[in-house]
Every structure is written in C-alpha cells, then in structure tokens.
Amino acid sequence: MTETRILAPDPAGIIEAAAILNAGGLVAMPTETVYGLAANAGDDQAVAGIYAAKNRPAFNPLIVHLPDLAAVERYAVLTPAAQTLAARFWPGPLTMVLPLRAGARLSPLVTAGLSTVAIRLPAHPLAQALLRECGLPLAAPSANPSGRVSATRPDHVLAGLAGRIDAVLDGGACTVGVESTIIAMDGAAALLRPGGVPVEDIEAALGQPLLLPGDPATPKAPGQLASHYAPEAGVRLNATEARPGEVLVGFGAVKGQLALSETGDLLEAASRLFHVLREADALAGPGGAIAFAPVPEQGLGRAINDRLRRAAAPRP
C-alpha cells in the first residue's frame, strides 16, 4: 500500500507534486470544480494507474487538463466554434471534446482509442501552477472511487483513495463543486454532460442551441456503444489456443504471438491494451481474426474485459 502524502499549497508542494507526476505517479489536484486524480496523459502505465486506483470498470475517455491554448494546439484541433467557447469560458469549468491532432502524444487509454480528445483548462491557481511546473498534459478524472461521490475537499479524497495514490495537493474546498460541462465540438455542438457552465451561457456564446441528449442527431457519449472502435479483424474472447488464421494474444500462463502481460500483471495489461489491439489487427490482416486469452474479471481486469467485449461485439 502507498503512503498518501498531503502536500502544502506552496511552491515546495507544487514542485514535489510535479516530480511525482513526472515519475509516473498519481496526485489528486484541486480544480474549481472537484479534485481530479492526475497522471501524465502521455504515459500508458500512469494512466492505467488511475483506473486501478479508482477501481474504474471501463476504459472511457478521460479529460486532459492543460494550462493554455498553446498547449491545446499540440493535442487537439480547435474549430472556429471551439475557439469562440475557449475565448469565453477558458480557463473554467468547461470541457470540449475536440478532434485529436495527428501525432499527439497521448496514451490511447486517455482517448479510449477515439479520434477525439476531451480538453479542459482549469481556472484553479494551484492546478494552473502544477500544470506549468510539471510541463505535462494531465489526465484527471474525479479523485474518488468509481461510482462514489466526487471529492471537493482533501479529506474527501483521502476517505476514498488513501493508500492508493501518492499525494494530495491541498487546495482546500473547491468553489464550484460540480463537474465541468462537457460539449462535443467535433461536429454539431452537442451537450454530453451538464455541469459548471450553464447550457444557456454556451448557447448564447455560440448563437445557436446545443443538440441535447435524446436528439436523434446527438452523438452518443464516448465509450457507450456496444461495438466501440473495434479492430478490423474479428475478435474472440477467453481463448486458450489459436484457431487457424487467428492471432493469439496471451495473458499469464496462456502464451501467444503477442501478450497483454506475460506475467499476468493487470496494470501492465491495461497499459498495453490499445497498443496490442492495433498490433494484433495489423498482424491479422484483411479477413483475419484475433483471439484473446482469458483475463480475470477483477480489479483492472473488469475494465480490460469491458473494452474487449466491445471490440468483440457484433458490428453494426
């Protein structure tokens, strides 16, 4: 079990938090909305650590926190409408789902393999200071166990995650107290989650209504489709050996052409999942198939299996 340290909201605390993040660790940081569980968004293993700490059951996209628009341009494409919202609401409690920039160095666990990325510029001075000190894009879902109430104070973070994360940067109580509003901006502007910025204010800035959940044209929330960004090859699960024409992806005692983890380590398997899916798809080739060895339905295994079931689901 990790000893979770409380870091003071001063230059020394910020420097220590940045060092932990650069070393691949996990730090709960304050934002104006809720505390976020931050990790280097370009480090597969660090991002997998977020899922492990939160016991998060599915690899849904994570929000990437950045300090300024110059940083956003390195990872995402700002459409004209997105630039309008950025000028009005950033930094602040607004997240925009934007087209992923080609060559962006983000872990596919952050984007869940999608061609979009969720971006936010937090307004909290400590979050801004930490982002600038560490120089990293930070993936930071709410700092609480999956399915539990979001944390708005350091003691809330410790109640759920003490011993699972490296540190909490103590910023006191969050001022907004609800998560950011999420708007899809990779097509027609659509509301994915209400939050800290009122929908009416966003619509006023855009000069048009948002598509709302339930509208036929509204994109589904990322990661919710049964068949979700599956590889070209067919996928078979719980395989102990390959059938003719299959690429076998091993785990633990089941050996294959590729492996999620030869030692049966779920953290390693999670960090490698999307990379292995792509590699296996390339090896399988047109009309080919991929077989995955069984992965335990526990801890991070639940999230891995959720993604594999989506990959194996019947295609629309």
Side-chain angles (χ1 to χ4, degrees):
M1 180 173 287
T2 302
E3 180 186 352
T4 301
R5 287 172 282 166
I6 301 293
L7 304 180
D10 57 21
I14 292 165
I15 290 170
E16 186 171 355
I20 292 169
L21 291 166
N22 273 284
L26 303 178
V27 175
M29 70 173 183
T31 76
E32 68 276 22
T33 57
V34 298
Y35 274 76
L37 181 54
N40 179 359
D43 182 334
D44 296 321
Q45 188 134 341
V47 177
I50 291 176
Y51 285 92
K54 286 175 63 68
N55 198 22
R56 190 162 172 154
F59 290 127
N60 289 323
L62 302 177
I63 296 171
V64 176
H65 293 66
L66 296 169
D68 51 41
L69 284 178
V72 174
E73 292 282 6
R74 292 197 290 271
Y75 301 103
V77 177
L78 277 166
T79 64
Q83 290 174 355
T84 296
L85 294 186
R88 173 68 177 82
F89 299 110
W90 275 354
L94 174 70
T95 295
M96 287 193 278
V97 178
L98 301 165
L100 182 66
R101 186 170 292 281
R105 295 184 176 181
L106 294 175
S107 169
L109 289 174
V110 169
T111 61
L114 297 168
S115 60
T116 54
V117 59
I119 301 283
R120 182 161 100 82
L121 273 59
H124 196 290
L126 280 179
Q128 279 284 329
L130 180 57
L131 283 161
R132 295 181 189 281
E133 179 66 32
C134 72
L136 299 170
L138 295 180
S142 58
N144 53 273
S146 184
R148 305 291 286 276
V149 178
S150 295
T152 58
R153 301 188 320 194
D155 57 309
H156 296 167
V157 178
L158 291 174
L161 298 178
R164 297 186 181 187
I165 66 176
D166 296 290
V168 179
L169 183 59
D170 187 351
C174 300
T175 55
V176 176
V178 295
E179 288 86 349
S180 61
T181 304
I182 302 180
I183 306 294
M185 296 298 293
D186 56 324
L191 177 68
L192 297 182
R193 181 181 75 186
V197 176
V199 170
E200 295 82 358
D201 292 355
I202 295 169
E203 291 178 332
L206 290 174
Q208 65 184 53
L210 295 171
L211 295 174
L212 299 174
D215 288 353
T218 303
K220 291 185 181 288
Q224 299 305 302
L225 297 176
S227 178
H228 177 55
Y229 285 79
E232 294 293 325
V235 174
R236 183 170 67 91
L237 305 182
N238 298 314
T240 55
E241 58 184 28
R243 295 172 181 170
E246 285 184 334
V247 174
L248 178 61
V249 178
F251 178 83
V254 178
K255 307 303 179 185
Q257 289 173 258
L258 302 170
L260 290 174
S261 172
E262 293 183 355
T263 61
D265 183 287
L266 289 172
L267 182 61
E268 180 186 19
S271 71
R272 287 177 46 77
L273 176 60
F274 287 100
H275 297 287
V276 169
L277 267 172
R278 291 178 182 274
E279 191 175 350
D281 200 26
L283 284 174
I290 308 168
F292 280 87
V295 175
E297 191 73 22
Q298 63 187 43
L300 276 178
R302 292 187 298 148
I304 295 167
N305 285 323
D306 172 85
R307 181 60 179 83
L308 290 178
R309 282 189 288 267
R310 294 178 193 277
R315 315 294 165 82

